Amino acid sequence: MDVVVLLFLTSGLFLGWSLGANDAANVFGTAVGTRMVSFATAATVCTIFVILGAVISGAGAAQTLGKLGSINALGGSFMAALAAALTVYGMTRLGLPVSTSQSIVGAIVGWNLFSGTITDTGTLIKILATWVACPVLAAAIAAPLYRLTRRVLGWANFHLLRLDAYTRAALIFAGAFGAYSLGANNIANVMGVFVPVSPFTEFEIANLLTVTSVQQLFLVGAIAIGVGVFTYSKKVMLTVGGSLLPMSPVAAWVVVIAHSIVLFLFASEGLENLLARNGLPTIPLVPVSSSQAVVGAVVGIGLLQGGKNIRWNILGNIGAGWIATPVISALVCFVGLFFLQNVFNQQAYSEVRYALSSTVLDKAVVLVLPAEDLRDIEDREFKSAVAFRSKLRELTELSDFQESQILKYSEIARTKIDPGKLTAKDRKWLGPERVKAVERLSGKSFVYKWQVAEALARESGQWSLLEETTVNKIYNKRMTERLSLIYRTFAEVR
């Protein structure tokens, strides 16, 4: 691997360390704060299960960050991760349990602003909504769970020593579940920006196990999280575990369980598939904040007890940190990208060009879009989505949907089909019928992604997307992933 690539990946490792020092500490913060579990035990269990969660189940939430802004240059990924890490590190020094989720989202928005990429407002709104839903949901789970747990323990009437032993074991079990959920959900914050430009290549172990490039990224990031837990997390653990609200060991267990459930809900592809198959609304796979979940659970228990013991000044400081984090991260990323590109001569982003060719305008007519209003810029290329959108708005009035459609169909992504580039694993994943469709297009070139998708659908119905319903959502998601593989594999480098 190139030394420069390794250098750029260090910012992701720094962010992983920062997450371990801040967010990952929260899965055992209440246990350590109530002195039921030693810091060494908490750090060891947390590290093991964060790694397992990241490698086994980390892919789901990473896709949402990709929709918010697909950073397409290693230098840009480096700076986004570095900006997020510096922001989280600064907050950690203040002892505030802030969100790496908020930090990396702010950094991605900063990259979008610098590169002229349009921030997907739908995805951003979804992420912002989870920032509100996460602590509220954690509080809603923690309060009744705490009351139920107290009643069960009162009915069981355990001896004090036995209750103490059971509580310690329960806290360790809950922490392990929470660490797994954290790894699955938050590894996207650490390495998600590197997924489109991953420097790793997949390999097989004894022809039995294939380790993908993304899994390798996530493994490295998870190890960095573990190092952060061991080296710098104790201060934040004590803030969450004791400073916000004095808690009993039972309350500490409830907080960890409630926090873990929330993180699991927002990270589980299996749960998403189950809900979709039964025609039920699905929960968005979004990297949420363990800090927000823990604080929400603590406040939920505090409110159940009347709210008198909640230290509102500390809660206010934490809330202020949550608001400031994405803003600071975006500013740091934007300024850092400027210096990276103009002082150090490193590529911060790859240009994505847009053009309304006659082919696109014909497509606009079919989609009942105002094609005639756009004839003045036919065949003119624009160097960024922002510049292209600005010109569209000068020429005609478009709804948000119409605007997104024109942007989608006008994005230039030159592709030449060469089936020989598909690996054995790619072929197995796509399936024989889809591979045959690709082979029938061998040697053909395309300017736009949608042309590739339509050509494949004409060759085989197995490449067609279905009508968007809850039941078809997972099928279409998998089909979009297959199409993304085709675009990446056959993209022409210029």
Side-chain angles (χ1 to χ4, degrees), residues 342-408:
N342 296 289
V343 177
F344 298 101
N345 296 318
Q346 296 295 319
Q347 185 179 18
Y349 64 94
S350 297
E351 273 189 0
V352 178
R353 292 176 174 258
Y354 294 79
L356 276 171
S357 65
S358 57
T359 306
V360 176
L361 288 171
D362 290 342
K363 188 71 175 178
V365 172
V366 173
L367 296 172
V368 198
L369 297 172
E372 290 304 318
D373 294 346
L374 307 174
R375 294 285 178 186
D376 289 346
I377 56 172
E378 183 175 353
D379 293 328
R380 178 178 166 187
E381 283 196 12
F382 293 83
K383 294 183 179 181
S384 72
V386 171
F388 181 51
R389 183 180 64 177
S390 177
K391 192 63 180 177
L392 291 177
R393 290 177 175 178
E394 287 181 17
L395 295 173
T396 187
E397 187 173 335
L398 300 168
S399 67
D400 290 342
F401 174 76
Q402 289 176 319
E403 198 173 79
S404 66
Q405 289 292 97
I406 293 175
L407 283 162
K408 171 185 173 182

Side-chain angles (χ1 to χ4, degrees), residues 88-100:
V88 173
Y89 175 70
M91 295 297 183
T92 302
R93 288 292 301 271
L94 297 175
L96 295 176
V98 299
S99 168
T100 51

Side-chain angles (χ1 to χ4, degrees), residues 82-166:
L82 181 61
L86 289 172
T87 304
V88 173
Y89 175 70
M91 295 297 183
T92 302
R93 288 292 301 271
L94 297 175
L96 295 176
V98 299
S99 168
T100 51
S101 301
Q102 293 172 331
S103 187
I104 197 63
V105 165
I108 291 173
V109 171
W111 181 86
N112 287 349
L113 292 171
F114 185 83
S115 64
T117 302
I118 295 172
T119 300
D120 187 328
T121 53
T123 300
L124 183 59
I125 289 171
K126 180 192 294 186
I127 292 173
L128 292 175
T130 64
W131 292 355
V132 177
C134 175
V136 172
L137 183 58
I141 293 172
L145 181 60
Y146 178 70
R147 177 170 288 176
L148 176 63
T149 304
R150 290 292 300 271
R151 287 184 178 178
V152 170
L153 291 175
W155 171 80
N157 195 27
F158 290 122
H159 186 276
L160 186 60
L161 291 178
R162 178 172 291 184
L163 176 61
D164 185 75
Y166 286 164

